[in-house]
């Protein structure tokens, strides 16, 4: 088996060690991170490089009004929103507005809470089994919850991978 080594700052090493302690150890976490990185799909194009260049685009007055309204709702400038749309179509990572970042953070927090609740349920079920009590789960409720979680995760994946008009409900 090959050995990979690297040097990092003491602070970064301490933070990584603390995280790895909850993930099966440093080697296990590194193996999983490397495997995940190699299994990830390659980006469609490289990230933007070079000096930005100016492009002029003409819109009708009604379109300019729509651009102003939509970009303002997103907490972005017109130019910033147009750039985000173009970059998303070119395959660059989605450019989220501050409101979208807040929404994504809220989703992540909620998913973490759900994970914590699932762990508590599993612990309670395992404790009951160890004490000799039968656990009779309501499988239909569990299946329904699973479908809700899968649907929400699919929407989250779509939001993270699609273009910047996702949050308008146009998708």
């Amino acid at each position: 088996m090959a050995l990979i080594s690297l040097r990092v700052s003491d602070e970064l090493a301490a933070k990584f060690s603390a995280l790895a302690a909850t993930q099966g150890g440093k080697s296990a976490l590194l193996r999983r991170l490397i495997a995940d990185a190699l299994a990830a799909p390659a980006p469609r194009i490289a990230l933007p490089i070079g000096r930005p260049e100016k492009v002029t685009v003409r819109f009708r007055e009604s379109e300019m009004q729509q651009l102003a309204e939509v970009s303002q709702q997103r907490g972005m400038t017109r130019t910033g929103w147009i750039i985000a749309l173009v970059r998303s179509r070119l395959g660059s990572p989605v450019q989220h507005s501050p409101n979208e970042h807040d929404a994504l953070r809220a989703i992540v927090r909620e998913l973490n809470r759900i994970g914590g609740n699932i762990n508590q349920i599993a612990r309670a079920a395992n404790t009951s089994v160890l004490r000799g009590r039968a656990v009779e789960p309501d499988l239909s409720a569990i299946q329904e919850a699973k479908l809700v979680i899968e649907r929400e995760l699919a929407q989250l994946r779509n939001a993270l991978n699609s273009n910047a008009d996702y949050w308008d409900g146009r998708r």
Side-chain angles (χ1 to χ4, degrees), residues 19-46:
L19 174 64
T22 66
Q23 305 286 322
K26 290 187 273 189
S27 292
L29 179 56
L30 279 172
R31 279 192 296 273
R32 192 167 53 255
L33 290 171
I34 291 169
D36 288 350
L38 294 175
R44 289 183 277 177
I45 64 165

Side-chain angles (χ1 to χ4, degrees), residues 2 8 11-12 26 34 38 46 65 73 75 116 119 137-138 145 153 170:
V8 296
E11 180 183 338
L12 186 60
K26 290 187 273 189
I34 291 169
L38 294 175
Q65 181 64 34
Q73 289 170 357
N119 286 337
D138 181 356
L153 286 173
R170 294 180 186 167

Side-chain angles (χ1 to χ4, degrees), residues 54-163:
K54 183 178 180 178
V55 173
T56 303
V57 181
R58 296 185 185 276
F59 291 103
R60 299 195 186 301
E61 184 179 335
S62 61
E63 294 168 325
M64 291 296 287
Q65 181 64 34
Q66 287 179 303
L67 284 171
E69 290 171 9
V70 172
S71 61
Q72 184 178 26
Q73 289 170 357
R74 294 178 178 282
M76 301 172 84
T77 64
R78 278 190 321 226
T79 301
W81 190 65
I82 292 169
I83 289 170
L85 288 174
V86 170
R87 285 182 177 162
S88 69
R89 293 294 182 179
L90 293 174
S92 295
V94 175
Q95 314 265 315
H96 297 290
S97 73
N99 291 340
E100 292 166 341
H101 279 287
D102 292 343
L104 290 170
R105 280 197 270 302
I107 290 168
V108 168
R109 278 193 303 274
E110 188 62 30
L111 288 173
N112 285 333
R113 287 186 194 118
I114 290 169
N117 290 342
I118 291 170
N119 286 337
Q120 290 174 357
I121 292 166
R123 191 175 308 115
N126 289 334
T127 301
S128 294
V129 169
L130 290 174
R131 292 182 180 164
R133 288 186 249 156
V135 177
E136 296 181 23
D138 181 356
L139 295 180
S140 64
I142 292 171
Q143 182 64 25
E144 184 178 326
K146 178 181 178 262
L147 292 173
V148 169
I149 291 169
E150 286 174 347
R151 183 177 64 241
E152 294 299 319
L153 286 173
Q155 288 179 347
L156 178 59
R157 270 190 229 80
N158 192 24
L160 293 173
N161 294 322
S162 69
N163 63 22

